[in-house]
Amino acid sequence: MQAVTADGQEMTVQEVLDWLQRTYGWTVTMLLHGYTVIYDKEEDEEIQARQQAQRLSENLKDSRETQQLELLYVCEGEDAGASNRRPPLLCSLP
């Protein structure tokens, strides 16, 4: 997916979650880049809000060196091991 907004900015985590919901009907409960948790629905509301507002590559050490992020995700009703059974989401960054 092109993780770029109409104004050329990198998408926020919330925008990616919304895209997955609109496109596939998936309610994502966890979003990961490798072992780094980008979003976790189990966190308290304040942490969730902070995670959702972040740009995708924010706080990722190697993200500045790449134009693509490979994200894993867990959807509502799945366990964390399910992320290994779904294809990764490849996000092209601006």
Side-chain angles (χ1 to χ4, degrees):
M1 77 172 281
Q2 289 287 351
V4 182
T5 61
D7 63 356
Q9 296 294 311
E10 181 179 331
M11 290 176 116
T12 64
V13 170
Q14 184 61 57
E15 289 168 327
V16 172
L17 296 172
D18 291 344
W19 181 84
L20 287 166
Q21 177 68 45
R22 274 192 321 274
T23 305
Y24 298 106
W26 298 337
T27 300
V28 174
T29 57
M30 186 175 281
L31 191 61
L32 306 123
H33 173 64
Y35 293 105
T36 302
V37 175
I38 296 173
Y39 171 74
D40 186 353
K41 189 176 182 176
E42 297 297 315
E43 291 289 354
D44 65 49
E45 289 182 21
E46 183 179 326
I47 292 173
Q48 275 187 52
R50 196 171 334 127
Q51 290 172 335
Q52 292 167 332
Q54 290 186 107
R55 298 283 173 198
L56 266 183
S57 66
E58 208 170 314
N59 298 322
L60 298 178
K61 294 175 189 169
D62 63 348
S63 64
R64 300 291 180 233
E65 301 161 8
T66 183
Q67 290 298 97
Q68 281 203 341
L69 286 181
E70 184 174 302
L71 303 179
L72 302 174
Y73 46 94
V74 178
C75 295
E76 200 167 78
E78 297 177 335
D79 61 30
S83 66
N84 294 329
R85 293 189 291 269
R86 289 187 179 272
L89 176 65
L90 296 177
C91 298
S92 297
L93 304 176

